[in-house]
Amino acid sequence: MATIKDISELAGVSQATVSRVINGTSRVAYDKKLKVEKAIDALSYRKKVMKSPSFASGSGCIGVVVPDFSEPLYADTLKNIEDKLRECNYHVLASAGSSTENSQRRSVEFLLGRRVDALILYTPHLSDDYLISLEAQDIPVVVVNRYIPEIETSCINIDNELGGKLAAQYLLKMGHKKIACISGPLDSSEARERLQGYRTAIEEAGLNYSEALVSQARLTCESGAHAMQKLLNRKEEFSAVFACYDQLAFGALKSLQEQGYKVPEQISLIGFNNHMFTRYLASPLTTVKFPVEQMCLEAVQLILQKINNQEHDVNFNLVPALVVRDSVGAVAQNMQHVY
């Protein structure tokens, strides 16, 4: 197992500097802190924690990692988990893992170093191998919105591919043949699955999948607007847009309106997640409902069953559902396609 001395030698800093970074006891120059963090990652170092009597019988705290506290879906996930755990007399220690594998891994290691009783992880950027290795350690783990065959009884999975397929199939049902897609970042498993669902629906309808009709975006409204503008600039024909996250749909709507397009009269738009604001738009957004409350309920039940060594009695596989509102029109209404 790596030691502070090993980290010190690899990073080229003193052991005292390494200790300050690990314990957060005082400020460290950014360049030195970065070197230490890289060495910690390279050596897979984990801080040792002295076990107290209370820890031996359980800390009463569950660690939760989500990518971002500000993104509505992740914030709702954290709130639902915390509310349900509080009812069972557990506290939550949460960490925002950002949107990279390294940062999400550091969040997990941070929580493990704080002697939590268990982990609930919404970490779409962590590799399967890393999550499998966690399962092999002596701590209960539940992974949400993810399916990994090797640890399937620790996964509460949402069928994101089905959700993407439902969205595209509805647009096809409404007569659309040229359907653009604004995907999320494709280093995320859920974003890849939603895009795959869209592609599957297109191809099963006998149509050609076109990369030119796909634009990738970060999970912000601004990035959704930028991705929509990129699609418009390509001069490709389309009459509908599937945005793989509602916040991307919000940005796409703003970009379309700024270019003088009417939704749904000229361009149809569909999102994914059923964000609370989708119903309050001028043309309420048709979207795919992400079952966040049920996912959190199943995750909490499963983690408690693991902690108490009980039989696993939960629904491991959840399905999204289409929510039809006013932002999708039939092709007969879409008198003007985008070129």
Side-chain angles (χ1 to χ4, degrees):
M1 181 181 237
T3 65
I4 287 178
K5 182 181 178 183
D6 296 330
I7 297 169
S8 167
E9 292 174 352
L10 182 59
V13 300
S14 69
Q15 293 184 41
T17 297
V18 174
S19 180
R20 287 196 293 272
V21 172
I22 291 172
N23 295 304
T25 52
S26 60
R27 298 188 66 179
V28 177
Y30 177 77
D31 60 332
K32 291 183 178 180
K33 183 172 183 286
L34 190 60
K35 289 178 181 178
V36 172
E37 289 177 342
K38 287 183 177 179
I40 288 172
D41 285 342
L43 296 171
S44 299
Y45 173 82
R46 180 176 300 157
K47 179 181 173 183
K48 292 182 180 179
V49 179
M50 295 300 291
K51 293 187 179 182
S52 65
S54 62
F55 178 62
S57 60
S59 68
C61 190
I62 307 294
V64 179
V65 180
V66 296
D68 185 348
F69 292 150
S70 63
E71 202 283 319
L73 174 60
Y74 304 141
D76 286 349
T77 298
L78 180 58
K79 182 182 184 303
N80 275 277
I81 289 173
E82 185 169 21
D83 287 347
K84 289 170 174 57
L85 282 172
R86 186 175 290 127
E87 293 174 1
C88 302
N89 297 317
Y90 274 92
H91 295 285
V92 164
L93 182 59
S95 178
S98 188
S99 296
T100 68
E101 181 170 4
N102 281 340
S103 59
Q104 290 184 3
R105 184 151 52 89
R106 283 199 292 269
S107 288
V108 172
E109 299 296 330
F110 165 79
L111 293 172
L112 290 174
R114 293 304 185 271
R115 63 190 188 187
V116 294
D117 291 342
L119 292 169
I120 298 177
L121 305 178
Y122 195 152
T123 48
H125 295 84
L126 283 180
S127 69
D128 287 1
D129 287 344
Y130 179 77
L131 293 169
I132 292 167
S133 73
L134 277 181
E135 176 78 1
Q137 300 178 35
D138 190 23
I139 183 168
V141 177
V142 169
V143 180
V144 299
N145 198 21
R146 187 83 171 263
Y147 175 72
I148 302 171
E150 292 84 351
I151 55 170
E152 60 182 357
T153 57
S154 294
C155 299
I156 303 297
N157 183 48
I158 310 295
D159 195 338
N160 284 286
E161 184 172 340
L162 173 62
K165 189 175 182 179
L166 288 173
Q169 284 178 333
Y170 180 66
L171 293 172
L172 291 164
K173 177 184 175 182
M174 297 298 283
H176 299 277
K177 303 297 183 185
K178 298 288 187 178
I179 302 170
C181 178
I182 301 177
S183 79
L186 296 181
D187 57 349
S188 162
S189 56
E190 70 181 12
R192 292 194 301 271
E193 290 164 5
R194 294 178 185 190
L195 177 60
Q196 182 58 49
Y198 153 85
R199 178 171 185 166
T200 298
I202 296 295
E203 292 177 340
E204 286 183 354
L207 303 173
N208 291 325
Y209 171 81
S210 171
E211 293 283 357
L213 288 177
V214 177
S215 184
Q216 188 178 163
R218 301 185 308 278
L219 300 187
T220 66
C221 296
E222 292 79 9
S223 189
H226 180 67
M228 185 71 253
Q229 189 58 53
K230 284 174 64 177
L231 287 169
L232 293 172
N233 291 342
R234 290 175 186 172
K235 306 300 182 182
E236 296 285 335
E237 180 184 354
F238 58 90
S239 61
V241 179
F242 167 42
C244 292
Y245 295 80
D246 286 337
Q247 62 268 45
L248 302 185
F250 298 157
L253 178 61
K254 183 175 185 297
S255 181
L256 287 169
Q257 290 173 336
E258 288 175 348
Q259 296 297 315
Y261 293 103
K262 296 180 180 180
V263 174
E265 291 85 356
Q266 293 174 286
I267 302 293
S268 289
L269 180 64
I270 188 168
F272 197 128
N273 280 351
N274 199 31
H275 185 286
M276 64 180 294
F277 295 131
T278 53
R279 71 196 70 181
Y280 299 115
L281 299 176
S283 292
L285 185 69
T286 295
T287 187
V288 177
K289 182 179 179 180
F290 185 96
V292 62
E293 290 188 20
Q294 186 182 1
M295 178 185 76
C296 295
L297 175 62
E298 304 293 347
V300 168
Q301 289 179 339
L302 180 57
I303 204 67
L304 294 177
Q305 289 166 8
K306 282 173 165 275
I307 289 171
N308 295 308
N309 295 313
Q310 296 173 337
E311 182 180 352
H312 298 170
D313 183 21
V314 297
N315 186 352
F316 290 101
N317 297 294
L318 308 178
V319 295
L322 186 69
V323 179
V324 176
R325 296 194 179 103
D326 300 334
S327 63
V328 174
V331 162
Q333 295 176 250
N334 289 58
M335 300 303 293
Q336 179 180 352
H337 291 202
V338 172
Y339 292 88

